[in-house]
C-alpha cells in the first residue's frame, strides 16, 4: 500500500502504469509476481515475468512467464502488456551498474510500446535507492496515465512523476495460524505461542520462513532463538529431497562445508547465481567445480538440489534464503579466521582504511552481522566502528549482556550527538 490507509489487493493496483513493490526477504514477492503474471495470462492478456539480473544482451532468454515470441507478438500489436520485473536487490548483487544496465536494455526493447506497458518492479526496501533508482525508471521507462479526454480522438497523456510504491504485507497472526494448520501443524495455538515467545513473528509473517518454522516445529516440537532456528533450518534443508540423493548417502558435514563455501563465494563476488556442473557456464555465474575441487559432479549436483537452493532455472540455482546464505558465509569466514596466519587477510575483507578512517566494507555488512556472534575480535572491531550493525541482522539476543548494553549506549549517544551511522 502507498501509505497509511486501507490495504489494497492486486486487482486494485493492476491497472497502474509504474509500480514498485517493496517487501522483506522471504515475504514472497517473487512468488506473488510470478503468480500475478500467470493469472493475467490465463485471462488471455499479455503478461511476462522476468528476473532483472537476466536482462542483458541475451534478452530472449530472460522470460520465465511468457516467451520471446509472445513478447514480439505483443510489440507488433496495439494491446497492453503487464511486466513483472524481479528483483532490484538481486540485480544489485551482480555489479554496481547491473540495475542501470538492465533498465536501459529493457527500456530500449519496449521503447516503441512504452505507453502500452504496465510495469511492476519488486525490491527489498534496503536495496531501493529512492532518488537515483526512481530517476533511472523515469529516464528509461517514462510513463503516464490517460488524461480526461475532450473527444474520442484526444490521445494526450498526463505524466505522473511519482512512481507508485506499495509494500507487500506480511501474514497476520490469524493468517499464520491458518497457514500452519494447512501445512500440518496440529497444535496451532502452541506453535503460534512459541513463535511469539521466541520473538520470531518477523520470520513467521513471511510465507517461505513460516514453512521452515513449521518444519522445525514438526521435527522438534520447539523453537529456539533466531540463530538456533536458522541452524536447524539448515540441517533440515540439507536432508536429501529424493530417494536418489538419499541413496547416495553423502556426508552431511561435507555438504554443509560445501554450502558454506558457496555462500562465501556469493558474498565475495556478488554473483548470486550458481551453475550446475552440467549447466551453461558464464562469467556472471559461480562455477562450483572451481571451489569444490575434491567433489565430483554428482555430489555437487546433489548439494545444489537440496532445500538450501531455489528450483533450477536455466541450469542454475541460487540460495533460497538470504539470511541462511549470510549465516553460512559467516561460518565459512569464521573457519578461515581460525586458520593460522589468516586473520589479517580475512579481516581486510571487512575493514578497510579510507582516507585515514577505518570503515566497514558495505557489501560485507550482512555477513558481519552474523560473524560478530562467532568471533570476539571481529565483534569488538565491528561494534566500535558501527554498533548499529548488530541490529541490522543476525541475532542480537546471542550477544553477551554487557555487549548489548554497551551497544545500546553507543547507539543512543550517536543519536543524541547527531553522529548515527
Amino acid at each position: 500500500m502507498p501509505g497509511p490507509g486501507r490495504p489494497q489487493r492486486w486487482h486494485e493496483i493492476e491497472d497502474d502504469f509504474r509500480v514498485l513493490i517493496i517487501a522483506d526477504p522471504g515475504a514472497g514477492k517473487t512468488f506473488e509476481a510470478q503468480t500475478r503474471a500467470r493469472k493475467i495470462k490465463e485471462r488471455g492478456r499479455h503478461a511476462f515475468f522476468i528476473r532483472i539480473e537476466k536482462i542483458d544482451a541475451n534478452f530472449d532468454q530472460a522470460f520465465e512467464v511468457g516467451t520471446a515470441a509472445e513478447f514480439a507478438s505483443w510489440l507488433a500489436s496495439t494491446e497492453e502488456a503487464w511486466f513483472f520485473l524481479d528483483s532490484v536487490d538481486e540485480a544489485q548483487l551482480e555489479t554496481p551498474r547491473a540495475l542501470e544496465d538492465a533498465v536501459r536494455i529493457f527500456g530500449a526493447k519496449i521503447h516503441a510500446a512504452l505507453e502500452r506497458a504496465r510495469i511492476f518492479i519488486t525490491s527489498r526496501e534496503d536495496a531501493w535507492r529512492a532518488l537515483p533508482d526512481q530517476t533511472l525508471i523515469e529516464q528509461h521507462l517514462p510513463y503516464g496515465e490517460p488524461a480526461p479526454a475532450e473527444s474520442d480522438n484526444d490521445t494526450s497523456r498526463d505524466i505522473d512523476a511519482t512512481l507508485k510504491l506499495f509494500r507487500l504485507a506480511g501474514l497476520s497472526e490469524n493468517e499464520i495460524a491458518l497457514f500452519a494448520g494447512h501445512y500440518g501443524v496440529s497444535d496451532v495455538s502452541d506453535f503460534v505461542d512459541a513463535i511469539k515467545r521466541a520473538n520470531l513473528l518477523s520470520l513467521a509473517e513471511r510465507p517461505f520462513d513460516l514453512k521452515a518454522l513449521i518444519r522445525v516445529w514438526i521435527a522438534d516440537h520447539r523453537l529456539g532463538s533466531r540463530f538456533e532456528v536458522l541452524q536447524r533450518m539448515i540441517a533440515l534443508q540439507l536432508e536429501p529431497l529424493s530417494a536418489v540423493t538419499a541413496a547416495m548417502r553423502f556426508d552431511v558435514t561435507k555438504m554443509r562445508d560445501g554450502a558454506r563455501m558457496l555462500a562465501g563465494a556469493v558474498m565475495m563476488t556478488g554473483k548470486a547465481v550458481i551453475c550446475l556442473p552440467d549447466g551453461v557456464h558464464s562469467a556472471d555465474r559461480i562455477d562450483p567445480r572451481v571451489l569444490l575441487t575434491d567433489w565430483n559432479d554428482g555430489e555437487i549436483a546433489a548439494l545444489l538440489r537440496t532445500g538450501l537452493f531455489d528450483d533450477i532455472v536455466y541450469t542454475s540455482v541460487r540460495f533460497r534464503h538470504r539470511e541462511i546464505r549470510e549465516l553460512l558465509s559467516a561460518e565459512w569466514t569464521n573457519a578461515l579466521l581460525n586458520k593460522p596466519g589468516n586473520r589479517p587477510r580475512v579481516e581486510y575483507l571487512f575493514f578497510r582504511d579510507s582516507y585515514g578512517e577505518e570503515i566497514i566494507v558495505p557489501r560485507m555488512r550482512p555477513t558481519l552481522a552474523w560473524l560478530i556472534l562467532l568471533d570476539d575480535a571481529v565483534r569488538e572491531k565491528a561494534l566500535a566502528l558501527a554498533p548499529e550493525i548488530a541490529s541490522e541482522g543476525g541475532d542480537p539476543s546471542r550477544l553477551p549482556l554487557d555487549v548489548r548494553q554497551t551497544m545500546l549506549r553507543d547507539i543512543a549517544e550517536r543519536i543524541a550527538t547527531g553522529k548515527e551511522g
Side-chain angles (χ1 to χ4, degrees):
M1 54 186 297
R6 181 181 65 84
Q8 293 180 265
R9 299 191 178 276
W10 272 110
H11 71 272
E12 297 177 276
I13 68 172
E14 213 170 72
D15 288 334
D16 289 328
F17 280 86
R18 302 293 184 268
V19 172
L20 172 66
I21 305 293
I22 293 290
D24 293 329
K29 60 183 182 295
T30 299
F31 173 83
E32 288 285 338
Q34 286 176 323
T35 300
R36 186 51 43 182
R38 292 190 180 103
K39 286 183 178 296
I40 294 174
K41 279 200 69 176
E42 288 169 2
R43 299 203 300 263
R45 311 182 89 169
H46 300 282
F48 305 90
F49 174 89
I50 305 173
R51 295 185 190 270
I52 295 176
E53 74 269 21
K54 294 290 186 181
I55 299 176
D56 55 20
N58 298 315
F59 182 74
D60 287 355
Q61 301 175 18
F63 300 92
E64 292 186 33
V65 174
T67 65
E70 290 169 347
F71 176 77
S73 175
W74 167 71
L75 276 181
S77 75
T78 59
E79 299 173 344
E80 291 186 324
W82 281 255
F83 292 90
F84 295 86
L85 308 183
D86 182 73
S87 151
V88 168
D89 43 296
E90 292 295 347
Q92 289 176 341
L93 285 174
E94 301 290 332
T95 67
R97 290 180 56 89
L99 177 63
E100 180 179 347
D101 292 343
V103 170
R104 176 177 50 78
I105 292 170
F106 180 68
K109 293 290 184 180
I110 68 169
H111 179 73
L114 273 169
E115 293 187 348
R116 296 189 282 114
R118 300 183 185 273
I119 302 171
F120 294 75
I121 301 170
T122 70
S123 177
R124 279 175 53 165
E125 183 169 11
D126 58 2
W128 179 258
R129 302 168 303 165
L131 183 58
D133 289 346
Q134 180 167 329
T135 300
L136 182 68
I137 299 302
E138 292 173 358
Q139 178 182 354
H140 295 287
L141 304 174
Y143 58 97
E145 296 183 352
E150 295 182 0
S151 69
D152 292 341
N153 295 326
D154 188 347
T155 58
S156 63
R157 304 181 73 85
D158 178 22
I159 299 300
D160 179 359
T162 303
L163 181 68
K164 293 188 177 179
L165 186 151
F166 294 84
R167 175 180 292 279
L168 188 61
L171 299 176
S172 68
E173 191 171 315
N174 287 338
E175 288 169 334
I176 290 170
L178 184 64
F179 192 100
H182 177 77
Y183 280 95
V185 175
S186 56
D187 47 351
V188 171
S189 296
D190 291 344
F191 175 64
V192 174
D193 287 343
I195 288 173
K196 292 192 286 188
R197 282 197 307 271
N199 194 28
L200 292 170
L201 277 173
S202 62
L203 276 179
E205 67 182 12
R206 303 188 297 234
F208 174 78
D209 294 332
L210 180 54
K211 282 186 179 180
L213 287 174
I214 289 170
R215 285 192 68 192
V216 173
W217 179 261
I218 291 174
D220 302 343
H221 205 70
R222 65 175 295 275
L223 298 175
S225 67
R226 181 181 294 264
F227 179 83
E228 292 170 329
V229 166
L230 291 182
Q231 292 282 4
R232 187 69 176 111
M233 285 164 63
I234 292 170
L236 289 171
Q237 290 170 0
L238 277 174
E239 292 178 355
L241 294 180
S242 68
V244 174
T245 53
M248 300 177 81
R249 295 185 179 179
F250 292 135
D251 182 348
V252 174
T253 300
K254 181 177 181 179
M255 294 184 76
R256 182 156 184 153
D257 287 342
R260 287 169 175 164
M261 185 170 292
L262 292 177
V266 172
M267 172 191 68
M268 293 290 297
T269 65
K271 299 176 182 178
V273 180
I274 303 167
C275 192
L276 267 69
D278 59 351
V280 178
H281 295 268
S282 60
D284 63 341
R285 300 179 178 186
I286 291 173
D287 183 349
R289 298 174 301 180
V290 174
L291 302 168
L292 307 177
T293 55
D294 59 338
W295 292 50
N296 61 49
D297 285 358
E299 291 173 319
I300 294 173
L303 172 61
L304 297 182
R305 284 177 168 84
T306 64
L308 287 179
F309 300 90
D310 272 333
D311 295 335
I312 298 170
V313 176
Y314 296 128
T315 70
S316 63
V317 298
R318 62 181 64 217
F319 277 95
R320 188 181 297 275
H321 191 295
R322 183 167 295 191
E323 276 193 282
I324 283 180
R325 185 184 73 196
E326 290 163 356
L327 174 55
L328 287 169
S329 71
E331 292 179 356
W332 174 75
T333 306
N334 187 54
L336 292 180
L337 283 167
N338 290 324
K339 291 184 178 180
N342 269 6
R343 181 167 292 272
R345 289 185 297 170
V346 176
E347 288 192 1
Y348 182 73
L349 300 176
F350 294 88
F351 309 104
R352 301 282 175 84
D353 184 83
S354 178
Y355 300 103
E357 181 179 353
E358 193 166 31
I359 63 168
I360 294 172
V361 177
R363 177 185 282 179
M364 302 301 189
R365 288 179 79 102
T367 294
L368 194 56
W370 288 107
L371 188 57
I372 62 174
L373 305 180
L374 307 175
D375 188 273
D376 293 346
V378 167
R379 181 176 67 229
E380 291 177 8
K381 198 168 187 177
L383 296 185
L385 290 172
E388 70 278 2
I389 201 167
S391 62
E392 293 176 359
D395 185 356
S397 70
R398 301 278 299 186
L399 293 170
L401 178 60
D402 62 321
V403 172
R404 282 180 278 157
Q405 291 172 332
T406 300
M407 179 188 72
L408 289 174
R409 281 197 302 270
D410 287 347
I411 292 174
E413 288 174 3
R414 288 181 179 225
I415 293 173
T417 58
K419 297 179 179 179
E420 66 270 22

